[in-house]
Amino acid sequence: MPKFYIETVGCQMNVLDSELAGAALIRSGMEPADSITDADVILFNTCSVRQHAEDKVYSALGRLKQWKEQKPVSVLGIIGCMAQKDQKLIFQRVPYADLVLGPGQLDVLAETVRQLFDAKSGGRKPSVLQRVCVSLPRNAGKHHEVIESFRLYNPERMIRGGLMPAAAGSPSLVRIMFGCNQFCSYCIVPYVRGPEQSRPPQDILNEVKLLADGGAAKITFIGQTVNSYCYNNNGKITKLADLLYLASETAGVQQIDFVTNYPLGIDDRLLQAVRDLPKVVKHFHVPAQSGSDTVLQRMNRHYTSARYREMTDQIYETVPGATMTSDFIVGFCGETDAEFEQTVDLVKYCRFRNSFIFKYSGRKGTKSAELYADDVPEEVKKHRNNRLLEVQIGISRRGAHVAKHGQSESDAV
Ligand code: 5AD
Ligand code: SF4
């Protein structure tokens, strides 16, 4: 029986995709390998959000050249966001790769891997065996054709038992929506994960039940902009708040949370659902990205710093004991010291439990890479990263992230 190994980098979407890919490979008659060197099939689930993530994948793939030479009957596949974005480049840089398969095509992964593996076992020439399976670029066809080409919509799921077990007690991920329509100017995701699509609520609830029946007590709903979840069934609209009410009724489920939120569209109904449902975690991950209105404008984020603060106030006021976390990009194109200081002020005001801070990384194909120069020197990016982190650590240490935000004690970091 061929053995497979999946190496995953990137966000929770990738973690879930690897779990689904693993389940599909097991169903097709393969078994998980104990270690990467032991495997006949190696899949790299990749991330394109920053250059650093891509560089790491290429060096790891470089190290596998020897493995490929030693194992002529083997399959090396690149899946995930890089696979969608850099199809030709991957084969140029990794000529011994066998498969490039984008995130919308996971439904054909197992059969494709199997075909490649069987053909190699039959001794055919490697060059004939390379395969590309990707979705249509967003502007390549009619909207429904593009959506159709992102076929991974409602994947078959396997109960966790024995399958790449996540750390004990960690939540089971359930995708409630796919893709993104926000087009933040720095972000590659809308191009590689396709147009926003919300899954039918019944499919989601069936999946939650399946997982709960299999012993999962904690569920995390995931989506690139999870709070814009909206499903219209002949005029009957289901939103994230409704899903939380419905999923809360599932026997066996003890805890539900949801990531990642976009700052607009956190409405009263959602806040009340989080407040009133005992199983829902009183926590909101809402990336702010910057505290400067001019930077937010260049980032094509559709809110101001003041609007973000109002939303924070509303969260803390409506949901007693709520905590928040955020993402920030420092050193975005043209970011001045004064603009950066506005981000520092926002972090102090909002008293996040934690912030994930990233240095801006220009991504070819995005608007910011096209329109603006990546002109903040690396040293300055590093310095801002460290300074914001220090401010955040000061706030996290005090643990004063609930209700009393904006008080002067938070300023002394
Ligand atoms: N450069 C740096 N960070 C980025 N992110 C997204 N795109 C980029 C980029 N080009 C960050 C954002 C997002 C997180 C997942 O990654 O902060 O919220
Ligand atoms: Fe990227 Fe913005 Fe969509 Fe998040 S909301 S995935 S940052 S485009």
Side-chain angles (χ1 to χ4, degrees), residues 180-184 186-190 224-225 262 289 301:
C180 182
N181 286 348
Q182 285 297 331
F183 289 98
C184 302
Y186 50 80
C187 187
I188 197 71
V189 168
Q224 250 88 33
T225 55
Y262 190 78
Q289 312 296 1
R301 304 280 289 182

Side-chain angles (χ1 to χ4, degrees), residues 15-30:
V15 174
L16 174 60
D17 284 346
S18 289
E19 185 183 326
L20 298 171
L25 292 175
I26 290 174
R27 270 199 301 274
S28 78
M30 299 192 188

Side-chain angles (χ1 to χ4, degrees), residues 165-183:
S170 70
S172 294
L173 306 175
V174 173
R175 185 173 2 238
I176 67 168
M177 58 187 297
F178 195 64
C180 182
N181 286 348
Q182 285 297 331
F183 289 98

Side-chain angles (χ1 to χ4, degrees), residues 334-354:
E335 187 187 63
T336 62
D337 284 338
E339 285 170 331
F340 170 68
E341 287 307 321
Q342 290 173 333
T343 299
V344 174
D345 289 344
L346 183 76
V347 168
K348 288 177 180 172
Y349 182 87
C350 297
R351 305 183 64 73
F352 300 110
R353 194 181 71 193
N354 197 8

Side-chain angles (χ1 to χ4, degrees), residues 11 49-50 186-188 260 285 287 289 301 327-329 356 358-363 368:
C11 65
V49 121
R50 282 170 290 276
Y186 50 80
C187 187
I188 197 71
T260 291
H285 179 63
Q289 312 296 1
R301 304 280 289 182
D327 291 352
F328 288 95
I329 297 177
F356 301 91
F358 307 101
K359 289 178 288 174
Y360 172 66
S361 168
R363 309 281 56 218
S368 67

Side-chain angles (χ1 to χ4, degrees), residues 212-213 215-218 249-255 279:
D213 289 347
K218 297 179 186 173
E249 285 168 19
T250 310
V253 170
Q254 287 166 19
Q255 180 190 297
K279 292 181 180 176

Side-chain angles (χ1 to χ4, degrees), residues 41 45-46 80 83 115 154 164 194 223 250 297-298 303 322 325-326 337 364 369 372 383 401 413:
V41 172
N45 197 353
T46 59
Q115 280 166 9
N154 189 9
M164 292 188 295
T250 310
Q297 248 171 23
R298 294 201 291 283
Y303 53 89
T325 46
S326 186
D337 284 338
K364 196 161 170 274
Y372 314 115
H383 178 75
H401 44 261
V413 176

